[in-house]
Amino acid sequence: MNTSNRINQIKKSAIHEMTRLSKQYDDVAFLSWAKPTTGTPKHINDAVIEAINKGLTGGYSQSEGLPELREEIVKKLKRDNHIEANTSQIIVTVGAIEGLAASVLTTIDPGDEVILPTPTYSTHITQVRLASGIPVLVPLNEDNNFALDIEAIKKAITPKTKAIMLCTPSNPTGTVFPENTLRELGKIALEHHLTMITDEAYEYFTFDNARHFSIASIPELRKNVITNYTFTKTYAMTGWRIGYIHADEEMINQIKKAHIPLAICAPVASQYAAIAALKGSQECVKEFRLHYLNARNLMCERLDKLDSVFEYNKPEGSYLMFPKILGEQGNDSITFSKNLLKEVRVSTTPGIAFGLTGENHIRLSFCVPEEMINKAFDRMENYFRKNK
Ligand SMILES: Cc1ncc(COP(=O)(O)O)c(C=O)c1O
């Protein structure tokens, strides 16, 4: 079989492997999903049915997306992200994932380095590898609630560095990087002519006093930032595969050269869903956020009772958290996760899936019904009591 070195270097995803293993058992308590379990709100579904019945969805749209959708996105960027954009600065994409892939392909040449504060969303690392780039993993500061380590990032910059890629709020740690730190990072990007590729998939899910900040709202950085957004999390629309990129117009025209061979355009039915999502009531987003906040609080309460097994930072955003496994059992997070699945049918994601710095951790997702969290923790409490 002839396969490229590019593909050969990519290892099987530990996340997908755990999903595959989980399917071998009945009655699994899932804390490994990072997708909303609620359905897409009805008003969004209804609008798409109407668009289908009107015969609007069978053809391609403009490769950058329907003008009406881009107009709604411009309004949203102004209202919620404090970004003054116009419709020529937007490409509607097949989820954030396609946007991120196109962003990376547009930014780097083979052998270029991309700095990724880690643990991070493993797909970002894979995307850099797929573009024949070199991911440079710079650890977050776990002792300071997984904060960005600005000094370590500065030290990691070499003449080969082209970009910094990060998600805020973060998958897997749930950290919301604060405005002042992101501004510092922006200054570094300007100084070293780096592009910042940001993934803001969880922008609406922040808790306590944390506020989401879009670095593209800093006018001086407009040529240095490519921001990737998605409808997936905000409106529980994973399957619709719809997101968008915002960047400076010149950069957008370059990214389009990657977007067209990757996708031609985003699915048109999904673009109508996105229009309905943006134009409709935002109550559903508030409800999802409240559900995640309550689920986070419950998960933290349950983790507090397992303080001889886990130590954790309370996540301020996303619907994920990344507890540290105490003691030697944490040294192999894959075996730890597999044991939990085999012994008590609790599905978690091994931390190693998020870069080497993720070892000794598991990722737990609280975008599940509260009963699922209680079921999983009842089982884990029993298991760890017996295996003390
Ligand atoms: C940080 C992050 N970015 C992007 C995605 C996927 O986004 P989309 O469904 O829009 O491609 C996920 C999904 O888990 C994610 O956690």
Side-chain angles (χ1 to χ4, degrees), residues 91 93 95-109 114 127-128 131 162-165 195-199 225-229 244-247 251-252 254-256 258-259 262:
I91 302 175
T93 56
I97 291 298
E98 188 250 322
L100 288 158
S103 307
V104 172
L105 284 168
T106 305
T107 309
I108 67 168
D109 281 316
V114 178
Q127 287 177 329
V128 172
K162 279 283 178 66
I164 301 172
M165 192 169 182
T195 300
M196 294 196 57
I197 302 173
T198 72
D199 176 347
V225 184
I226 306 173
T227 315
N228 293 271
Y229 300 95
Y244 55 100
I245 298 177
H246 166 260
M251 179 64 95
I252 279 289
Q254 298 301 319
I255 299 174
K256 224 186 281 173
H259 166 66
L262 287 173

Side-chain angles (χ1 to χ4, degrees), residues 96-105 107-108 113-129 131 135-138 140 148 153 161-168 171 177 182 185 194-199 226 228:
I97 291 298
E98 188 250 322
L100 288 158
S103 307
V104 172
L105 284 168
T107 309
I108 67 168
E113 294 173 3
V114 178
I115 292 177
L116 299 118
T118 49
T120 193
Y121 184 40
S122 50
T123 300
H124 294 171
I125 304 173
T126 309
Q127 287 177 329
V128 172
R129 293 211 167 104
V136 176
L137 308 184
V138 177
L140 292 168
L148 285 169
I153 290 173
T161 311
K162 279 283 178 66
I164 301 172
M165 192 169 182
L166 56 82
C167 47
T168 183
N171 175 359
F177 298 124
L182 288 172
L185 200 60
L194 307 179
T195 300
M196 294 196 57
I197 302 173
T198 72
D199 176 347
I226 306 173
N228 293 271

Side-chain angles (χ1 to χ4, degrees), residues 132-182:
S132 302
I134 300 169
V136 176
L137 308 184
V138 177
L140 292 168
N141 184 350
E142 183 167 7
D143 294 336
N144 188 12
N145 201 3
F146 290 110
L148 285 169
D149 186 340
I150 295 287
E151 285 312 308
I153 290 173
K154 273 192 205 161
K155 279 193 197 133
I157 297 172
T158 75
K160 285 262 177 206
T161 311
K162 279 283 178 66
I164 301 172
M165 192 169 182
L166 56 82
C167 47
T168 183
S170 158
N171 175 359
T173 63
T175 316
V176 182
F177 298 124
E179 177 175 338
N180 58 349
T181 321
L182 288 172

Side-chain angles (χ1 to χ4, degrees), residues 34-35 94-98 100 121 124 167 169-171 199-202 229-233 237-239 241-243 319-320 363:
K35 59 175 189 193
V94 184
I97 291 298
E98 188 250 322
L100 288 158
Y121 184 40
H124 294 171
C167 47
S170 158
N171 175 359
D199 176 347
E200 303 186 11
Y202 298 97
Y229 300 95
T230 178
F231 291 85
T232 277
K233 317 282 174 186
M237 283 173 61
T238 43
R241 311 305 307 127
I242 185 100
Y319 41 56
L320 303 159
R363 188 188 70 177

